[in-house]
Amino acid sequence: MNRYLQAGIGVLVFAAALPALASGKKEGTGAEGGAAIAPIDSNLAGPREMVYPPPQASESQGNVAVSATMMAGAGAGKCRMNFIIENPTTVTVALGMIATTVNAKDEVVDNWVVNVGALPPRGQTVRLFSCSLGAVQFSMKPTSEFTWPPVRCVNAAGEAEPCALGLKVTATLPIVERTEKKPDKDEKKK
């Protein structure tokens, strides 16, 4: 056997032995070293899928799909929110929304701004965020540049413009439509 091949085999054996020599564990791994990731679900009743039709009366160009999955990892307080945005249409699309989760006391747990500048036809992108545990419901609203549903077509100049796109949202938490709470007249006096 030539010496280069022997040296290469030696390096491979040493590299394979390194994990056994290392002490401690990586962040996000369980006691056995596995990265346990599981979707977080809420036991509250409510829709987990909503379809929002296009705002225009013309023929729809299709629905942009957003999948919102809250996931728990091993270890205390490990939480990730994964947004998968898919564009099954034949046009380039833009998306701008603020996603929110609330706890059982109707207090906001997390807010995320989910923006996509230009997603090509049949394209897909992912946005991954940290999150806090304790969420039981999920809601969303358009960012200031968008209306409902928060998707637009991107024209040849790269500008997002209204068009006949719908939005299909699926989530591991029940989806609710939320409105901004305004203080009562009595609360303003206090």
Side-chain angles (χ1 to χ4, degrees), residues 1-12:
M1 199 183 292
N2 83 28
R3 62 186 166 136
Y4 295 110
L5 184 56
Q6 287 176 338
I9 292 172
V11 169
L12 289 174

Side-chain angles (χ1 to χ4, degrees), residues 36-121:
I37 300 290
I40 296 175
D41 201 352
S42 169
N43 51 2
L44 287 181
R48 307 297 167 115
E49 182 175 294
M50 302 279 285
V51 177
Y52 303 94
Q56 300 174 355
S58 61
E59 186 175 333
S60 174
Q61 292 178 286
N63 293 324
V64 173
V66 174
S67 173
T69 305
M70 185 172 274
M71 301 175 293
K78 302 284 184 197
C79 181
R80 301 290 181 262
M81 187 62 144
N82 189 36
F83 292 94
I84 300 173
I85 301 102
E86 296 178 82
N87 177 15
T89 72
T90 58
V91 296
T92 299
V93 301
L95 177 131
M97 69 180 201
I98 299 170
T100 302
T101 57
V102 297
N103 62 18
K105 295 178 182 177
D106 204 32
E107 300 166 331
V108 173
V109 176
D110 283 305
N111 279 312
W112 308 277
V113 176
V114 182
N115 278 328
V116 177
L119 186 60

